Amino acid sequence: MNIQLPDMPKPADAATEHQLTFQDGTTRTVYDTGVERPYPDGKLIVSRTDLNGVLTHVNDAFVAISGYSQEELLGSPQHILRHPDMPKEAYADLWATVKAGKKWHGYVKNLCKDGSHYWVYATVVPNIRRGETVGYTSVRRKPSRTKVNEAIATYANLKGA
Ligand SMILES: Cc1cc2nc3c(=O)[nH]c(=O)nc-3n(C[C@H](O)[C@H](O)[C@H](O)COP(=O)(O)O)c2cc1C
């Protein structure tokens, strides 16, 4: 079952408009103000999803930085945070890795409800119960600025290719 997200509210600040098409075929209009939110010091940003990437758990730090309420997040696809600068290859690699039962690490730029964004270093793992994968968990940490700058260049190349 594909879940259609509501469009983002148009920010009062200047923003570029983008039409995103997701793997499940749904689309969404999003806005990017280019404003970066600092990663919250000393916090982990955590979410869990079901097998389809639908959010089943979000911690307080996840809710706070996203700008969405917990009610808006739970039951929504994790792609509610997808930023237009992120190449689809990054997520294809994430999904192939965790579906193979392995741990994925990577740098991710996420889009907040108000059009701002934040960078994370994410570790995504399958949740395994009695030998079966029942969902996935992502634990995000503060990324180093050097690695973020490398990721910006890598992702821009992938988007341009
Ligand atoms: C546990 C888990 C955490 C994820 N975290 C994020 C995230 O923080 N931001 C994001 O854009 N995609 C995240 N993804 C990937 C999304 O499910 C999705 O693949 C991505 O947003 C691109 O959208 P699409 O695959 O629907 O086209 C996560 C996936 C899993 C399984």
Side-chain angles (χ1 to χ4, degrees):
M1 189 191 60
N2 299 339
I3 301 168
Q4 176 63 54
L5 288 170
D7 282 344
M8 269 172 72
K10 192 169 182 171
D13 299 333
T16 54
E17 183 177 315
H18 302 263
Q19 187 80 4
L20 298 180
T21 301
F22 302 108
Q23 278 299 113
D24 63 8
T26 63
T27 61
R28 188 183 193 213
T29 302
V30 300
Y31 301 94
D32 173 16
T33 63
V35 174
E36 181 166 2
R37 293 194 186 203
Y39 189 99
D41 273 327
K43 301 238 164 123
L44 296 175
I45 298 176
V46 182
S47 62
R48 280 204 300 269
T49 74
D50 67 12
L51 294 173
N52 297 316
V54 173
L55 289 163
T56 55
H57 166 84
V58 287
N59 75 347
D60 290 347
F62 187 111
V63 176
I65 199 162
S66 74
Y68 293 96
S69 66
Q70 181 170 306
E71 292 68 34
E72 287 174 298
L73 292 166
L74 295 179
S76 290
Q78 174 72 74
H79 67 219
I80 191 170
L81 298 184
R82 181 170 149 205
H83 194 285
D85 288 351
M86 286 295 294
K88 62 180 185 326
E89 289 85 350
Y91 298 115
D93 184 49
L94 182 164
W95 277 105
T97 304
V98 296
K99 281 187 180 172
K102 293 186 274 185
K103 186 188 281 195
W104 182 87
H105 298 280
Y107 295 87
V108 177
K109 183 180 188 179
N110 273 334
L111 185 67
C112 308
K113 187 177 182 179
D114 68 356
S116 62
H117 66 268
Y118 60 98
W119 279 94
V120 299
Y121 177 63
T123 302
V124 185
V125 295
N127 302 327
I128 297 166
R129 302 271 175 280
R130 294 183 210 90
E132 296 255 318
T133 299
V134 294
Y136 304 101
T137 299
S138 178
V139 178
R140 305 167 182 87
R141 295 177 173 76
K142 186 185 179 105
S144 83
R145 197 32 60 176
T146 310
K147 294 291 186 186
V148 167
N149 288 335
E150 285 173 20
I152 290 170
T154 305
Y155 294 160
N157 275 336
L158 284 168
K159 292 290 279 192

